[in-house]
Each structure stands twice: as C-alpha cells, then as structure tokens.
Amino acid sequence: MPRIACLHLPLFPLAARLRSEPELTREALAVVEGNGNVARVVAATRLARAAGVRSGLTLPQARALCPKLVARPRDADCERAAQEALLEVAEGFSPRVEDAGEGVAYLDVDGIERHYPGPSPELEMGRALMNATEAAGLPARVGVASSKLAARVASGLPEPPVIVPPGEEATFLAPLPLQRLAPEVDVAETLERWGVRSVGDFAKLPPSRIASRLGRLGRELHSTARGRDPRPLVPREPPPTFHEGMSLEWPLVALEPFLFVGRAALDRLCQRLQSR
C-alpha cells in the first residue's frame, strides 16, 4: 500500500506574499484580487481577520472594518516562486513529488521509516517536513495517508502533522461532509438529493448505481470514499532554472530601493540553491 504525504500551504496567496515581504507578518494585511473599489479580499492575516476582514469582502468594506489595513494585490511571480520553493523542500525528502498547484504538493514517502527510526517514523518525518518548509519561509501543514485525498484532508486538520494509519482511510473520511470529497457543486447537490450527507454515506452506495448515475467522475469519487485513490501520484520533472520575482506597485527610480528589493530576492534564491 503506497504512503503519500501532502504538503499544504493554507491561504496560499497570503503565504506567498509574506514569504517575499516577511516584515508584513505582524501587520493587518489583506491580499486582494481585482482593481479599485471592486478588488476583493482573497486572504488576510490573523490580525486582519480578528478585525472582521474575511475573504469575499471588497477592499472598501475591509478598510471600513480595519482602517489600518495594509492591502497587497495577488502577485503571480511571488506565488510561482513560493510554489517552486515548496516543491524543492518536498524533493529534499522524496524523489517522487507531484505539483498539485496553489500551495499543494504530494510526496511518495514509501519506506521513509528507514530514515526516521523510532516508534512513529511518519510523525517524525511530518515534523521534519514542517520544519523544512518553515525554514523556507512557508508555514506548511502536513498529512500522511495511503491516498492523496485522505492526505490532503489530514493536512487541513488542527495540530499537524496528522497521520492516517494504513488501511484506515475510509474510516477517516467517513464522517466528513461531501464537500471535502466532491467540490464540484453539481455532484454534491445530486448526492444530497439522494439523502447522502457524508462521505461515509456515499461509500455505502452500490457501485453499479454510482456508475449509471454519475459516470466516470462518480466512480472515481466512490473509490476515493472507500479509501482507494483512483488517481496515482504523478511525479514532476524538476525545472532546470531558478527564478525569484515580485511585482511592485511603484516604479524604481533610484538605486537604493532597487538594492533593497534585489537583495531580498537574491537571499531567497541563494537559500533555494543551497538546499539543492
């Protein structure tokens, strides 16, 4: 039975921005998408959330709740570099890593116990993964299971790393709401009309009924609900080049601010090169 670890960065746009601008960690910061008064919050720091700022608010609404709110736009360059840094940490632990995008990576951790002797080798490995991502400026969470979905769900639970024992994936998933299994709204709504409320309820349905009503997607979801992952881990090919980037809201017209931004990017790049 394969063993898969999921590295997950909650609030990925925010984590990527704070990696590039760590001095904003203690600020009431919101990352927004869109322009002007129609820009909407996609993620916010704990200080901003304590003031009532949440995803979906427009920027004027957020500033009405938190007048000292610092706003930054989503930055594709920051997020691309953060995702690469996350994958590089993962590749320091396993040669087989899948890039799932948006702050998520899967690792094949079969046989990891050889490197972490003790009563709980997977737990020790999970802690080591979290420490390594923290050192890279990325506060990732870790879940370990025998399927990608179970590992992803485990990585979102409190007090990580969370380990799902081999063979217990179906039991682990059973009490969860269907949205964890089927983010596709139409599928979730169809299942709820059948009276299916949880992953465990869905797993009890006859496979023939699922196949005839929901097709291939339904069969895959049903297999996942029963603890079997129909989509194997697909390792990525590591890129041959490294880059760091960050979009600026103002033009650089003097050398000093360029050196400030360039030095921070170079430090991050050197850290990644050193880890390789």
Side-chain angles (χ1 to χ4, degrees):
M1 184 175 291
R3 295 298 283 168
I4 295 170
C6 176
L7 265 177
H8 173 215
L9 283 172
L11 304 176
F12 176 60
L14 177 66
R17 172 60 76 173
L18 290 177
R19 174 177 173 270
S20 294
E21 295 185 80
E23 65 275 10
L24 296 177
T25 302
R26 299 182 184 276
E27 300 288 342
L29 169 70
V31 176
V32 301
E33 197 164 32
N35 298 312
N37 289 337
V38 298
R40 290 192 177 273
V41 175
V42 296
T45 58
R46 186 174 300 172
L47 192 60
R49 295 197 301 272
V53 177
R54 63 184 187 276
S55 297
L57 292 180
T58 64
L59 186 53
Q61 289 172 331
R63 285 205 162 118
L65 293 168
C66 183
K68 294 184 178 180
L69 185 72
V70 178
R72 289 287 189 273
R74 284 195 73 165
D75 189 328
D77 288 327
C78 275
E79 293 178 23
R80 191 178 304 113
Q83 183 71 11
E84 283 296 325
L86 183 72
L87 294 169
E88 288 158 16
V89 169
E91 286 164 353
F93 288 77
S94 172
R96 288 170 46 81
V97 174
E98 177 178 336
D99 179 4
E102 290 287 316
V104 178
Y106 295 104
L107 302 73
D108 180 348
V109 292
D110 245 353
I112 201 73
E113 64 275 1
R114 294 195 299 270
H115 303 285
Y116 296 91
S120 303
E122 289 185 337
L123 188 63
E124 292 302 318
M125 180 271 300
R127 288 170 178 158
L129 265 172
M130 290 176 63
N131 290 338
T133 54
E134 188 73 35
L138 298 168
R141 297 184 171 197
V142 175
V144 181
S146 294
S147 74
K148 290 197 294 186
L149 177 69
R152 172 66 184 271
V153 171
S155 71
L157 296 180
E159 300 184 13
V162 176
I163 312 301
V164 181
E168 295 187 18
E169 284 73 23
T171 303
F172 170 72
L173 293 170
L176 299 176
L178 280 169
Q179 284 71 18
R180 291 292 188 107
L181 182 68
E184 299 85 354
V185 175
D186 54 340
V187 173
E189 288 180 349
T190 298
L191 294 172
E192 287 178 359
R193 284 199 298 271
W194 295 356
V196 177
R197 297 285 183 268
S198 69
V199 175
D201 292 339
F202 182 50
K204 294 174 184 176
L205 295 176
S208 57
R209 184 182 178 191
I210 298 299
S212 63
R213 298 289 184 89
L214 298 178
R216 181 184 62 82
L217 175 60
R219 288 198 304 271
E220 290 184 356
L221 291 173
H222 195 244
S223 292
T224 305
R226 293 185 166 195
R228 299 188 298 271
D229 202 335
R231 299 180 182 179
L233 186 143
V234 181
R236 74 158 190 158
E237 288 292 329
T241 59
F242 298 81
H243 76 275
E244 283 285 340
M246 178 179 172
S247 299
L248 300 178
E249 299 179 68
W250 60 89
L252 289 176
V253 295
L255 182 60
E256 187 174 347
F258 169 75
L259 291 176
F260 177 78
V261 173
R263 182 188 298 275
L266 187 59
D267 286 343
R268 296 194 299 271
L269 187 61
C270 287
Q271 185 180 32
R272 290 169 57 189
L273 290 169
Q274 186 178 28
S275 72
R276 298 284 288 186

